[in-house]
Amino acid sequence: MIRNILILALAFLVFSLFVRADELEEESPPAEEVISDVISLTEKTFSTIVDPENLIMVEFFAPWCGHCKALAPEYEVAATTLKKDEIKLAKVDCTAETKLCQSFDVGGYPTIKIFKEGKVAADYAGPRKADAIISYMRKQLLPAVAVVTPSNFTSFKEAENVIIVGFFSGTTQDEFNVYSKVAEALRDEFRFGAAVNSKLASEEGLTTLPAVVVYKKFDEGKNVFTGPFTEEDLASFVRTSSIKVLDEITPDNYPLYVDTKVPIAFFFYDNPEQREQLYEQAEPVAGEFKGKINFVFINATAYGGHADNLNLKQTWPAFAISEPAQGNKYPYDQSKEITTDGIREFCSAFVNSEIKPSIKSQPIPETNDEPVYVLVADNFEQTVYDTAKDVLVEFYAPWCGHCKKLAPTYDKVGEAYAPFKDKIVIAKMDATENDLPPRVPFKVSGFPTIKLFKAGEEKDIVDFQGNRSYESFIEFLDQHAVNKVTVTKAEEEPPKETPPAETVSAHEEL
């Protein structure tokens, strides 16, 4: 009996402990909520919050997006800082608000847009860092050109890492108009001021007016522009002067380098020691070519794939010069050590047009008698630019699914035109292993890309827009080829929807 009572008492005690533990858990205070200064928007609240604001930044994101996750803490810091300026930052979760994101043509994450009074004013494409976002948004509230006087001059020119000040006299209205247009065009990137004060100009060492000075907290401290005052020259001067003589390049600042339209010298390294060694060799040369070549370091561990774009092997260290606008690349001989003298000699030869761009090419096939002619970079010119022939070219990638699907049809087209090779050539080129010659006026950005180079001195180029069926190729050539031939058409099949071209593989690169 006593034993049973003890068992019951023990059971009751254990039950009481569980109950008490449960009560304690229920009574525990809730976890402290993280307060965010970034406003979360939905389809219902979007217009209510965005429309009344003179200025607001909105990030369209997806929770699974790695770039969005990296941006999140920077975006929070920017939102908190800009709160003091009464500038709001907001965000939209596109996995939850699909219709809202579609209405703004959001095609990738993160997409960041600037709204003014409910309307999209601009897309933000700058660095995804707090200080860059803060600087950008503050600029949006300012006039394109601020008034600079002796009393505010020092504080104005030291407000940011790069500040532009134009010095004018009362007779330089035309030059001031040019300056104002450039300031308006570049206001998202730089802060501009204007001073009409001869004493202040004299104190800054300016003996000729008008003049524009780029003040910067790095390198030589400032650069001076005295004309001629054209929008193109002045904009180029501002962009070029605002870049460090030697800096690290990343996807965030790569567009800034491209916008300068100045060739870029890339120095690849894969550890801190290599970077330091490259700095010692490149630093004496970088200043000599300021304005002619921008020198940058690139982390090969993160962006080694970019070496392929420059026709370099992925062995480090490595060095190459690139002309992004033209697509030209000039790799430094990787069998040579990268030295100060070697860099100087190579850069001098480049500037003086003493070296030709590197053209990557597969070997020319020993036999090339298949119905579809195989193009490589080294036989492209003589084949495609033959004025007597129409040449249809498919630019493909071996990994492209659409290209693989097209192959049997394209081979059939080649067979149909094989008897007429002296008039119409059906060709293909692996665009991942061969560069286009400099005279080709386009870049291949998707696969397959199919173009007709028409016969004649001009070699007009026509994009193929059909549904990639056999019949559509025949109809296209009947319509656009200069040389007219008759080939057998297959039985008509129902037209197929043309799949979009596959974009170039987006591995980690610039």
Side-chain angles (χ1 to χ4, degrees), residues 205-258:
L206 302 174
T207 57
T208 302
L209 295 182
V212 176
V213 182
V214 173
Y215 294 96
K216 51 194 181 182
K217 296 180 180 178
F218 51 84
D219 295 341
E220 66 272 46
K222 69 177 183 180
N223 298 107
V224 180
F225 176 89
T226 56
F229 269 71
T230 66
E231 291 180 46
E232 183 178 357
D233 288 343
L234 181 55
S236 176
F237 166 78
V238 170
R239 289 189 183 282
T240 303
S241 301
S242 63
I243 288 178
K244 291 182 179 179
V245 171
L246 265 174
D247 200 7
E248 190 82 10
I249 197 166
T250 68
D252 285 338
N253 63 7
Y254 180 68
L256 301 178
Y257 281 91
V258 174

Side-chain angles (χ1 to χ4, degrees), residues 136-211:
Y136 178 91
M137 293 301 282
R138 283 174 173 167
K139 287 188 182 84
Q140 300 306 303
L141 289 182
L142 300 172
V145 179
V147 177
V148 176
T149 64
S151 61
N152 72 358
F153 173 70
T154 300
S155 59
F156 182 82
K157 77 170 185 176
E158 294 179 356
E160 297 184 16
N161 284 336
V162 177
I163 291 288
I164 295 89
V165 179
F167 294 84
F168 301 91
S169 65
T171 60
T172 54
Q173 185 62 46
D174 291 343
E175 289 86 350
F176 178 78
N177 291 340
V178 170
Y179 181 74
S180 297
K181 289 179 181 179
V182 172
E184 186 63 43
L186 302 182
R187 64 175 297 156
D188 291 350
E189 301 169 49
F190 306 105
R191 191 171 175 183
F192 290 80
V196 184
N197 187 292
S198 57
K199 182 180 178 182
L200 182 59
S202 178
E203 290 174 353
E204 287 301 296
L206 302 174
T207 57
T208 302
L209 295 182

Side-chain angles (χ1 to χ4, degrees), residues 377-397:
D378 287 344
N379 68 4
F380 191 96
E381 288 265 0
Q382 68 182 60
T383 304
V384 174
Y385 283 91
D386 184 335
T387 58
K389 299 176 183 178
D390 294 282
V391 185
L392 183 69
V393 183
E394 177 206 3
F395 299 93
Y396 72 95

Side-chain angles (χ1 to χ4, degrees), residues 39-94:
I39 304 167
S40 292
L41 301 174
T42 65
E43 188 173 2
K44 292 181 179 179
T45 63
F46 191 90
S47 294
T48 304
I49 294 173
V50 172
D51 290 1
E53 296 298 324
N54 291 327
L55 175 68
I56 184 171
M57 174 179 276
V58 180
E59 175 205 4
F60 297 87
F61 75 100
W64 47 260
C65 162
H67 294 308
C68 304
K69 293 176 182 178
L71 170 63
E74 301 287 339
Y75 205 60
E76 286 286 352
V77 171
T80 300
T81 303
L82 289 171
K83 191 175 180 180
K84 303 168 188 174
D85 301 286
E86 297 184 353
I87 300 174
K88 295 178 180 177
L89 267 58
K91 62 183 179 182
V92 176
D93 181 349
C94 289

Side-chain angles (χ1 to χ4, degrees), residues 474-496:
I474 304 302
E475 291 172 3
F476 174 79
L477 290 169
D478 282 348
Q479 180 180 355
H480 296 287
V482 173
N483 297 312
K484 303 301 179 183
V485 300
T486 301
V487 299
T488 303
K489 289 188 178 181
E491 282 188 30
E492 292 290 333
E493 298 177 2
K496 302 174 183 177

